[in-house]
Amino acid sequence: MIVPRNSAFAEERAEVELLLAQAEKQKDFNKRLEASVVRVEDIARKLDEAMGPVYNDTQSLSVVTNNAERILSELRRQIKLVEGKEVEERTIRNGPAAVGVQNYLASLRSVEQKLSDLKSTNFRVNQEVIAELGQLIKHGNQQLQNLFETLIQEDAKVIEPLHFITKQLPFPIILPNKASELASLSGFISSNQPRNGGYAQEISSSVRIYADIRGSYLSGSLQNLASASISTSRKKSSDMIYSQGTSGIGTYANGMEGIFLAEWRNIANIFNRDTCATAFEMTTRKALSEFAKTVRELSIQIKSNITTDCFLAYEIVGIVNNLAISIDSQTGSLKQALVDAVKPVRDTAKASIGELYDDIKRRIGSMISFPADGAAIPLTTEIMTRLQTLTLYPQPLSSLLTSLGDGNWSSTPGNNSSSSLTTTNSFDVGADGNQLLARYISESIETLLSFLDSKARMLLKTKTVFGVFIANSVAVIDRMIRSSEIQPLLISTNSLSKLEPWRKKGIATYLDAWREPCAALMDVQYTNRGARPPSGSNSHIDSATIIKGLGSKDKDALKEKFKSFNISFEGLSAKHREMANSMEREVRAQLARDIQAMIEPLYARFWDRYHEVDKGKGKYVRYDKGSLAAQLASMG
């Protein structure tokens, strides 16, 4: 039992000893390993201390190498940029006429690109080249401006607008091919516009060149029309009313419109949209200045004969208004410039409206005599001719009257025959122009008749002549209204009926004298004395029976009545015939009808009853019904 135990213990002991021996070896190995690690770390530290400066030097050399490569690359690029300089310079120095515009522009653009690239570097060595390229570009731009000016000048020969107007030909424009070339030049010149303080100048030199040359072309071409407008507006007689279309101002305006719109097409083909309006205004400025000068001269001429030449002012205002609207609708420009140009004439035209109105009062008030036969005075026809002429200018007059305001056309409103109307100095923007014109004409006619009436009462001694004068004046006015555009104007404002009271007044005043023979034909009948006298047109009246029943005093009274009638009737008839030649046709016919309507029925009745008082001798009863009717009919 003891032997196996020792044997097992020995085996275990042997294993323990083996493990202890191995542990000792491991411990020894670890010590040697630690010593090796220490030695390796020491070697590594020494290597690090030895290789650090070498690494740093290598990094620096790498940076230097990269910089050198970039510098070489940039130098190669700069050399490449400068390589074509001589070719481009030769092209630019030769000029666009020699090499062609497009080639020239390509060379300039190439040089500009080179200059831009060189300026992006900070190499001092490039400064000389940059300066040379800058001078080359400046020289090229000047060459382009000179070419642009030359091309514009080629089409700037003055023309005669009247030739194109009379033959209805389109005004000449710059040919499309040339316009395209000019557009290229203008675009390049504008893109290289010098800058002041970092901002490009507002107006490019190409616009200035174009406006200067073409502006002279426009003003020169229109010069003859301006002169013709002045000469054709001069009158041979100071009292002659201006006749519509006599002045050459309408042709002048047509020439301006045609040549301006042709110029607008040129500008639209050459300049960009943002520049067109400025170029157009600058180009037309000189011609508009000449037009404004012409208008001022015409205004001075109109003022010297304002009551007869004011119609020229209305014509000018209307023509220029239409011109401004036409040009503005197609170009969007010049409307205000044209309005400003016509302002002197517009102010004169505006003042003339009140002057014409007051001239009626002034002219009538200064008269010292009227025709003794009641004939209408020439002034009435003259004033109505003025009013007729006004209707030829409805558009400008509507505008002028609207700016004056309703009723503000008299400088002396206290004398206005329509002073009951409320007036205001404010701008009557809501008034209808045609209605204002109708009111102006209506009030002018009312003022004319009112002042004629007042003056006639002072100068004409008899009511008969006064009545004929008023009736004649109304007839002249009415005839001239109905034969012109005044009639529809007055109808539109219900003003035509205002003449009727004046007509009735004249007729009634004249007929007052004819009441005397009518009074002689009045008798008194007593129905309570004997049988009632027969009545009705179909009743037979026996004059002999009636006379037989009268006493001697009644018969004498009847004879006296016939005698009074004869004297009064014949006197008035003679006076009527004397005045007949001075009566207007309508007045003569109207008076004859009214006299006949007054006298004939009374005389017929009186004659039917009492003609036997004369027993057919004709001493007292000079007219039977037929002869009196013929006498009355002959008055017309």
Side-chain angles (χ1 to χ4, degrees):
M1 296 298 290
I2 298 173
V3 175
R5 182 180 179 185
N6 290 337
S7 177
F9 180 77
E11 289 179 2
E12 292 177 354
R13 183 178 181 181
E15 290 178 357
V16 170
E17 289 177 354
L18 180 60
L19 291 171
L20 290 172
Q22 290 179 345
E24 189 65 25
K25 288 179 181 180
Q26 185 66 37
K27 185 177 181 181
D28 184 57
F29 176 76
N30 288 341
K31 288 181 179 180
R32 288 197 304 273
L33 183 60
E34 288 176 359
S36 296
V37 170
V38 171
R39 285 195 299 274
V40 169
E41 287 178 350
D42 184 57
I43 292 170
R45 181 179 57 78
K46 291 178 179 180
L47 287 173
D48 183 61
E49 291 175 355
M51 294 301 296
V54 175
Y55 177 76
N56 290 337
D57 291 341
T58 303
Q59 290 292 100
S60 298
L61 288 173
S62 177
V63 171
V64 170
T65 301
N66 290 336
N67 287 342
E69 288 178 355
R70 284 198 297 270
I71 291 171
L72 289 173
S73 175
E74 184 63 26
L75 288 173
R76 283 191 294 271
R77 191 172 71 87
Q78 297 300 321
I79 292 169
K80 185 177 180 181
L81 288 174
V82 178
E83 280 177 354
K85 174 178 173 294
E86 292 77 8
V87 177
E88 307 294 1
E89 182 176 4
R90 187 165 54 253
T91 300
I92 292 172
R93 296 292 180 189
N94 287 336
V99 301
V101 172
Q102 297 305 323
N103 292 335
Y104 195 83
L105 291 177
S107 294
L108 273 176
R109 291 191 181 97
S110 176
V111 172
E112 283 185 337
Q113 185 61 47
K114 294 177 187 300
L115 180 60
S116 176
D117 292 339
L118 288 172
K119 284 182 176 180
S120 65
T121 68
N122 293 321
F123 295 153
R124 292 182 181 179
V125 71
N126 288 339
Q127 296 307 310
E128 184 177 351
V129 178
I130 289 173
E132 291 176 358
L133 292 179
Q135 289 298 320
L136 187 60
I137 291 173
K138 184 177 180 180
H139 174 76
N141 285 336
Q142 187 60 51
Q143 290 273 64
L144 288 179
Q145 290 184 26
N146 293 341
L147 176 62
F148 186 82
E149 183 174 350
T150 301
L151 292 175
I152 293 295
Q153 195 73 52
E154 289 176 355
D155 291 300
K157 184 179 179 181
V158 171
I159 63 171
E160 181 51 65
L162 193 60
H163 169 77
F164 297 92
I165 295 171
T166 55
K167 295 191 175 182
Q168 298 183 341
L169 298 173
F171 280 78
I173 62 172
I174 296 174
L175 295 176
N177 290 341
K178 180 180 282 190
S180 178
E181 188 174 5
L182 288 169
S184 299
L185 292 173
S186 174
F188 190 88
I189 293 170
S190 299
S191 66
N192 287 273
Q193 184 70 31
R195 295 177 179 271
N196 295 326
Y199 296 95
Q201 294 179 1
E202 291 184 3
I203 302 172
S204 74
S205 54
S206 61
V207 173
R208 294 183 186 278
I209 292 169
Y210 184 93
D212 182 58
I213 296 173
R214 297 295 292 184
S216 298
Y217 156 77
L218 293 179
S219 62
S221 297
L222 294 169
Q223 184 59 50
N224 287 341
L225 292 181
S227 300
S229 296
I230 298 295
S231 61
T232 55
S233 298
R234 295 193 183 100
K235 296 194 305 180
K236 296 180 180 178
S237 175
S238 60
D239 59 350
M240 182 175 64
I241 291 179
Y242 171 77
S243 178
Q244 187 179 38
T246 302
S247 172
I249 191 68
T251 305
Y252 190 6
N254 290 337
M256 285 179 63
E257 181 178 9
I259 203 168
F260 278 13
L261 292 178
E263 201 58 37
W264 171 259
R265 288 193 287 274
N266 290 335
I267 289 171
N269 290 335
I270 294 172
F271 299 102
N272 60 52
R273 183 177 299 177
D274 296 336
T275 311
C276 283
T278 301
F280 188 51
E281 290 172 4
M282 290 180 63
T283 304
T284 56
R285 188 173 296 163
K286 189 173 181 180
L288 284 173
S289 178
E290 289 296 321
F291 177 70
K293 180 182 176 182
T294 302
V295 169
R296 286 194 298 272
E297 290 186 29
L298 289 173
S299 179
I300 293 171
Q301 176 180 314
I302 293 167
K303 284 181 180 178
S304 63
N305 299 285
I306 194 165
T307 57
T308 55
D309 283 0
C310 60
F311 305 102
L312 173 58
Y314 307 148
E315 183 173 84
I316 294 172
V317 170
I319 287 171
V320 177
N321 282 350
N322 292 335
L323 175 64
I325 292 170
S326 175
I327 292 179
D328 181 69
S329 66
Q330 298 181 64
T331 68
S333 302
L334 301 190
K335 186 174 183 180
Q336 189 58 48
L338 287 166
V339 169
D340 293 341
V342 81
K343 187 177 185 299
V345 163
R346 182 178 177 84
D347 290 343
T348 301
K350 195 172 177 181
S352 72
I353 293 174
E355 183 64 25
L356 287 179
Y357 189 81
D358 293 336
D359 185 63
I360 298 172
K361 310 169 189 177
R362 187 167 52 249
R363 296 277 297 279
I364 295 175
S366 64
M367 296 187 74
I368 59 174
S369 65
F370 277 175
D373 57 3
I377 58 176
L379 180 61
T380 300
T381 302
E382 180 184 336
I383 290 172
M384 287 306 300
T385 301
R386 285 186 198 169
L387 297 179
Q388 283 181 330
T389 309
L390 288 178
T391 62
L392 300 176
Y393 310 96
Q395 184 264 334
L397 278 169
S398 295
S399 172
L400 294 168
L401 288 167
T402 300
S403 65
L404 279 173
D406 190 3
N408 291 337
W409 35 74
S410 175
S411 60
T412 55
N415 293 332
N416 193 334
S417 63
S418 299
S419 58
S420 60
L421 295 174
T422 303
T423 61
T424 175
N425 291 323
S426 61
F427 179 55
D428 192 0
V429 296
D432 179 83
N434 284 333
Q435 287 188 350
L436 284 178
L437 180 56
R439 289 175 198 162
Y440 176 77
I441 292 175
S442 175
E443 289 191 19
S444 296
I445 293 171
E446 185 72 16
T447 299
L448 171 62
L449 286 169
S450 177
F451 274 72
L452 286 175
D453 177 84
S454 299
K455 199 68 175 180
R457 290 181 186 279
M458 296 169 55
L459 299 177
L460 299 177
K461 302 305 181 183
T462 66
K463 294 176 67 176
T464 302
V465 177
F466 173 82
V468 170
F469 175 77
I470 295 298
N472 279 337
S473 300
V474 172
V476 170
I477 292 171
D478 184 63
R479 187 189 313 131
M480 296 186 76
I481 287 174
R482 296 182 186 280
S483 63
S484 68
E485 291 302 314
I486 296 178
Q487 182 175 11
L489 276 175
L490 297 185
I491 289 176
S492 68
T493 56
N494 298 319
S495 301
L496 196 59
S497 60
K498 291 182 179 180
L499 280 182
E500 193 58 31
W502 289 102
R503 181 185 288 105
K504 289 180 178 179
K505 180 178 183 179
I507 297 295
T509 303
Y510 178 80
L511 293 177
D512 276 346
W514 288 84
R515 297 185 185 280
E516 183 180 342
C518 290
L521 300 176
M522 299 296 179
D523 63 338
V524 178
Q525 298 181 23
Y526 298 96
T527 58
N528 60 348
R529 296 180 184 176
R532 179 182 177 89
S535 62
S537 58
N538 295 325
S539 302
H540 175 69
I541 300 175
D542 187 351
S543 177
T545 303
I546 294 174
I547 295 299
K548 188 182 293 186
L550 296 177
S552 59
K553 288 185 179 180
D554 291 334
K555 292 177 181 178
D556 291 341
L558 288 173
K559 293 176 181 177
E560 190 62 31
K561 282 182 175 289
F562 273 110
K563 183 178 179 181
S564 297
F565 171 81
N566 293 336
I567 294 172
S568 178
F569 177 74
E570 289 169 0
L572 289 172
S573 296
K575 183 67 175 176
H576 183 86
R577 287 185 173 85
E578 287 177 9
M579 298 177 63
N581 291 334
S582 66
M583 294 179 187
E584 297 297 323
R585 182 181 64 257
E586 305 93 320
V587 174
R588 188 166 57 249
Q590 182 65 50
L591 289 176
R593 288 194 299 270
D594 289 346
I595 292 170
Q596 189 170 15
M598 287 177 64
I599 299 295
E600 190 171 13
L602 289 174
Y603 189 82
R605 173 192 166 281
F606 200 78
W607 186 90
D608 284 341
R609 294 183 63 80
Y610 307 119
H611 68 276
E612 285 296 331
V613 73
D614 199 28
K615 297 181 180 180
K617 297 178 180 179
K619 182 178 181 180
Y620 300 104
V621 184
R622 294 181 184 176
Y623 307 98
D624 58 19
K625 290 191 292 185
S627 61
L628 182 73
Q631 186 84 352
L632 292 172
S634 67
M635 291 182 178

